[in-house]
Amino acid sequence: MRSVEVWDFATRAFHWLLAVLVFVCFFSGDDEGLAFIIHAYAGYMVFMLVMFRAGLGVVGSKHSRFSDFAYSWAEIKSYGLSVLRLRPARYVGHNPLGGLMVFAMLIVLAITAMTGIFMVAAHLSWLEGVHEALGSIMQVLVALHITGVIVEQVLTGERLIKAMVTGSKETLSDQTHQVPALAPAWRPLLLSAVVIAVGVVIFVQINFGAAVVTFSAK
Ligand code: HEM
Ligand code: HEM
């Protein structure tokens, strides 16, 4: 066994900020008053975080790259069977089912946030039902995600949650050839600067702040 850093700081900061903000969205999905203003701003930040994660998926550290956890259906199926046999295969980064769940959550979050933004900024009230349905799907995905993490942690004894906090995992000796390469810090820094700039420009262009206040008062 040896300890390797699997999740860089950018990925961990992204994860816990995202989890907090998504829970805030779940508990503030009212359509008026202060709760709605909190919902809208938290949702807008989720939108920016997902853009940031999309960038990390291309220029981030080894195990944060999309190519690292985009598995074939055959691999997903055989991993699923190994879980059913209660002997899941071990992976340093996301396992095939986990990787699929990460893609699903990022895609659903992106569309949920965008439908919310369009509904309010472009007065597209027909998007309300779509947005609420996506919000409900997201609640199911998060429940499955947390259950999946706990089940894997129990079955393998691997401390996944701790790894998402500290970044490090104890890997099996036969996995050491997969020692991850961390991206230099300037990449997530530059990426966050670009994402914040794009987020602010869109916010101003669509007059989001005023649209949210108008919507909350109706
Ligand atoms: C709304 C809440 C949450 C959302 C939207 C969410 C979303 C995500 C996403 C997108 C990833 C992929 C990380 C990446 O590669 O960037 C991830 C991984 C992970 N999450 Fe969450 N998460 C949530 C809550 C939680 C909670 C409460 C826990 C702890 C119990 C948790 C534990 C983990 C762990 C351990 C991983 C890494 C899994 C692995 O080793 O492959 N998450 N989560
Ligand atoms: C990805 C982030 C988001 C998530 C997970 C999310 C989730 C939800 C959920 C679950 C509901 C339904 C609440 C309920 O019926 O009790 C809801 C409602 C709502 N959301 Fe979001 N939301 C997000 C982002 C946004 C954004 C950015 C906006 C834009 C301002 C927005 C605007 C609304 C509105 C207006 C409603 C109320 C619809 C109604 O009941 O009339 N959401 N959201």
Side-chain angles (χ1 to χ4, degrees):
M1 296 270 257
R2 59 179 282 190
S3 183
V4 289
E5 189 167 349
V6 179
W7 310 120
D8 62 10
F9 178 77
T11 304
R12 288 176 280 143
F14 156 80
H15 179 265
W16 296 113
L17 266 174
L18 182 79
V20 169
L21 289 168
V22 169
F23 273 114
V24 168
C25 285
F26 286 165
F27 289 108
S28 61
D30 217 333
D31 60 354
E32 55 184 32
L34 181 63
F36 172 70
I37 294 179
I38 292 172
H39 183 82
Y41 277 79
Y44 197 88
M45 283 191 271
V46 168
F47 172 62
M48 301 215 309
L49 278 173
V50 173
M51 284 199 280
F52 175 72
R53 186 63 185 87
L56 274 191
V58 181
V59 302
S61 300
K62 182 177 192 295
H63 291 297
S64 300
R65 296 212 179 181
F66 295 141
S67 57
D68 190 73
F69 52 89
Y71 292 92
S72 69
W73 291 112
E75 285 167 301
I76 294 170
K77 193 176 140 200
S78 92
Y79 179 79
L81 290 173
S82 79
V83 176
L84 291 179
R85 284 189 222 102
L86 304 184
R87 294 182 58 95
R90 301 220 5 212
Y91 288 81
V92 179
H94 296 308
N95 67 53
L97 273 181
L100 184 63
M101 178 56 94
V102 175
F103 285 117
M105 287 195 290
L106 292 178
I107 291 168
V108 173
L109 281 176
I111 307 174
T112 310
M114 284 192 284
T115 52
I117 294 168
F118 278 115
M119 169 174 35
V120 170
H123 313 289
L124 300 177
S125 53
W126 60 271
L127 279 175
E128 192 179 306
V130 180
H131 180 76
E132 285 192 8
L134 288 165
S136 306
I137 292 173
M138 198 56 216
Q139 290 170 342
V140 174
L141 293 182
V142 167
L144 288 173
H145 164 58
I146 297 172
T147 309
V149 165
I150 293 171
V151 167
E152 192 189 343
Q153 176 143 349
V154 169
L155 291 183
T156 63
E158 231 183 337
R159 299 171 73 185
L160 303 179
I161 302 170
K162 181 172 165 254
M164 210 13 115
V165 175
T166 64
S168 302
K169 261 188 180 181
E170 303 294 325
T171 54
L172 301 172
S173 51
D174 62 342
Q175 290 175 322
T176 44
H177 63 281
Q178 300 178 30
V179 169
L182 294 186
W186 65 264
R187 282 200 212 162
L189 280 175
L190 182 63
L191 183 61
S192 52
V194 170
V195 167
I196 291 170
V198 171
V200 169
V201 167
I202 296 176
F203 189 98
V204 172
Q205 288 296 320
I206 65 176
N207 217 343
F208 189 71
V212 168
V213 172
T214 313
F215 196 94
S216 72
K218 81 162 171 29

